[in-house]
Amino acid sequence: MATFIAIVISAVLTNNFITHQTYGICPFLGVSKKTSSAVGMGVAVTLVMTLATAITYPIYEYVMVPLGIDFLEIIVFIFIIASLVQMIEKIIEKLSPTLYNAMGIYLPLITTNCAVLGVCELVIGSNTASLLDGAAMNMGWAVLYALFAGLGFTLVMIIMSGMREKLNCTKVAKSLAGFPISMITASFICMAFTVFSYIA
Amino acid sequence: MKNRYGKITLDGIIFNNPTFVLVLGTCPTLGLISSASSALGMGLTVVVVLTLSNIIISALRKIIPNEVRIPSYIVIIATLVTLARMILAKLLPELYDSLGGFLALIVVNCIILGRAEAFANKHTVLESAVDGVSNGIGFTCALTIMGIICEFLGKGSLFGTQIMNFKIAVLATPAGAFIIFGLSIAVFTYVLNLFMRSRRIRTNRIARENLLDSKTVDAQPVKEA
């Protein structure tokens, strides 16, 4: 239970993917103009992160390490992620056209999202004890960590999209318009999130 | 001939700078500019990977079928990154540690796939190599400049050596990286726009003078005749 709480707090608040690790900034800046699209992107990223970790972690731990080919992790992981994204896209298209219309356009972008490859690399890394409050990493914790890291990503996406919707109503200096002002807005969110590091 | 390579170089470093103008590869930028040396290390790693991937993809551009080009590019890039990672872990373990997870994430760096898709699969090997080097240098310069600013103001040091005691600690965190990155883009766009405007005015003036000259030149023989 203590490990579960540690994972939730660490993945969502104190080690948030966007505000602390700066993974997945491209969709964070690119798809956060409207709250509806931010939610769609966040849910899609969370889904792919969780499934990708659920597939890559056992493959790394039970196939690649015993065979001594763990140095191929990047090539194997990126291939698994790319085919997984393609498969999810096809499945959603068949099962639920409405969901596909809402989420479909974000799925192809996710292959090159650092957050997905980042979480797969993070849970097999050498520094996993700090993520889990000292507990040993296993399959269940890895998937749970990916799930909550995705939810933390969605949370920050939604906050950012709300701020950008307000920002549309204000006048911004010409050279600051566009990316610069979004980044300065993002930096305020980061500052707010640094407060959570006092929880630990 | 020479002019073409000059144009590719200038485009990569300034006019289409991958960091400031196209805003690609933001994750490693924001994650690593709190330290100038890791920013420089990241930049140089990207130069090597980008140049090699551009050369290989451009050399194979007639062999790779169009339908499976993206997976092929990803395999080529992932192989190069795996090699770069092994070499860095052996030769420069300090840099390897400071780059952390971002080393593996070069695979999903939009700059490399972007150059492969936008440039290398349409141009010759030599042009692609020049493009890779210049885009990589553009990325490295941007990262190093922001890294120096962030590290100097945020930690009071330059490339790891302590210079002053005054520091604004927030600038060494991701929040500060976002601010510095945003302001750098703003300043770069402002200066670039000023430069473009003055260049446009100058070319217009030269064109007008040429036009006037040619008119007088044209006019004179008529008079003499």
Side-chain angles (χ1 to χ4, degrees):
Chain A
M1 194 61 203
T3 316
F4 177 72
I5 295 171
I7 286 180
V8 174
I9 291 177
S10 154
V12 179
L13 300 176
T14 57
N15 268 319
N16 187 288
F17 259 42
I18 293 177
T19 60
H20 289 83
Q21 323 240 20
T22 66
Y23 287 168
I25 302 295
C26 301
F28 172 62
L29 292 173
V31 202
S32 62
K33 285 202 183 86
K34 280 197 315 212
T35 308
S36 55
S37 51
V39 174
M41 187 69 183
V43 171
V45 168
T46 311
L47 181 72
V48 176
M49 273 166 82
T50 316
L51 288 177
T53 312
I55 296 173
T56 53
Y57 188 80
I59 286 182
Y60 180 79
E61 205 70 359
Y62 304 120
V63 179
M64 290 167 70
V65 172
L67 290 178
I69 51 166
D70 48 332
F71 61 90
L72 288 175
E73 60 184 25
I74 303 173
I75 304 175
V76 172
F77 285 9
I78 194 73
F79 233 80
I80 290 174
I81 293 168
S83 32
L84 179 73
V85 169
Q86 198 100 70
M87 206 172 77
I88 293 175
E89 200 185 342
K90 287 280 169 268
I91 290 174
I92 291 179
E93 196 179 359
K94 273 272 177 290
L95 286 184
S96 154
T98 38
L99 191 65
Y100 180 75
N101 285 336
M103 232 167 82
I105 47 168
Y106 307 116
L107 279 171
L109 300 175
I110 293 176
T111 311
T112 54
N113 182 343
C114 334
V116 180
L117 188 62
V119 77
C120 296
E121 292 273 331
L122 207 62
V123 293
I124 59 156
S126 53
N127 204 15
T128 51
S130 69
L131 303 174
L132 303 185
D133 196 26
M137 181 58 90
N138 62 32
M139 169 90 190
W141 293 141
V143 175
L144 214 58
Y145 186 83
L147 173 66
F148 281 103
L151 291 178
F153 177 88
T154 315
L155 174 72
V156 180
M157 283 284 282
I158 294 170
I159 298 175
M160 178 72 173
S161 62
M163 288 173 83
R164 281 184 80 172
E165 279 183 357
K166 290 275 175 215
L167 208 61
N168 278 340
C169 312
T170 56
K171 261 199 164 154
V172 179
K174 202 178 146 216
S175 46
L176 278 177
F179 273 114
I181 196 72
S182 317
M183 290 205 180
I184 292 166
T185 316
S187 115
F188 292 140
I189 300 174
C190 291
M191 282 182 205
F193 267 74
T194 46
V195 175
F196 290 121
S197 54
Y198 294 107
I199 290 176
Chain B
M1 198 67 179
K2 209 174 177 185
N3 198 13
R4 196 169 74 225
Y5 294 116
K7 189 181 173 301
I8 295 173
T9 315
L10 273 184
D11 266 352
I13 298 177
I14 297 168
F15 298 109
N16 272 327
N17 186 296
T19 307
F20 288 145
V21 180
L22 304 176
V23 199
L24 295 175
T26 43
C27 303
T29 312
L30 289 164
L32 294 171
I33 58 176
S34 59
S35 144
S37 47
S38 54
L40 182 64
M42 182 71 191
L44 293 178
T45 317
V46 169
V47 172
V48 175
V49 174
L50 180 56
T51 312
L52 289 177
S53 84
N54 259 7
I55 291 175
I56 296 174
I57 287 167
S58 161
L60 296 176
R61 71 185 185 279
K62 288 184 183 127
I63 303 171
I64 297 175
N66 204 30
E67 295 79 20
V68 291
R69 64 182 196 284
I70 303 275
S72 326
Y73 298 164
I74 290 183
V75 172
I76 292 169
I77 297 167
T79 313
L80 289 169
V81 172
T82 307
L83 286 175
R85 203 175 166 189
M86 289 158 109
I87 292 168
L88 279 185
K90 250 300 177 263
L91 296 181
L92 297 164
E94 271 176 35
L95 181 64
Y96 179 83
D97 288 338
S98 75
L99 294 183
F102 289 109
L103 197 49
L105 292 181
I106 297 178
V107 184
V108 284
N109 190 325
C110 334
I111 298 172
I112 296 174
L113 200 59
R115 289 330 286 174
E117 180 68 7
F119 197 92
N121 66 357
K122 299 185 196 81
H123 291 80
T124 61
V125 175
L126 194 58
E127 282 173 340
S128 303
V130 173
D131 179 75
V133 173
S134 54
N135 270 282
I137 289 174
F139 179 72
T140 311
C141 289
L143 244 70
T144 314
I145 291 167
M146 289 192 286
I148 289 171
I149 298 172
C150 268
E151 195 184 336
F152 186 66
L153 295 175
K155 294 178 184 160
S157 58
L158 268 186
F159 292 99
T161 41
Q162 202 69 29
I163 289 176
M164 56 176 191
N165 286 323
F166 170 76
K167 52 189 159 195
I168 313 166
V170 73
L171 288 181
T173 64
F178 268 112
I179 289 191
I180 297 285
F181 194 9
L183 292 179
S184 307
I185 296 177
V187 170
F188 189 85
T189 341
Y190 183 73
V191 173
L192 197 65
N193 282 344
L194 275 187
F195 172 75
M196 296 293 256
R197 226 176 71 201
S198 70
R199 198 169 75 161
R200 207 164 53 233
I201 290 170
R202 202 169 60 229
T203 38
N204 280 353
R205 201 183 61 223
I206 291 170
R208 206 164 49 234
E209 279 166 2
N210 284 347
L211 203 68
L212 289 175
D213 284 350
S214 64
K215 268 185 186 164
T216 48
V217 168
D218 282 348
Q220 271 170 355
V222 178
K223 265 183 193 170
E224 280 169 9

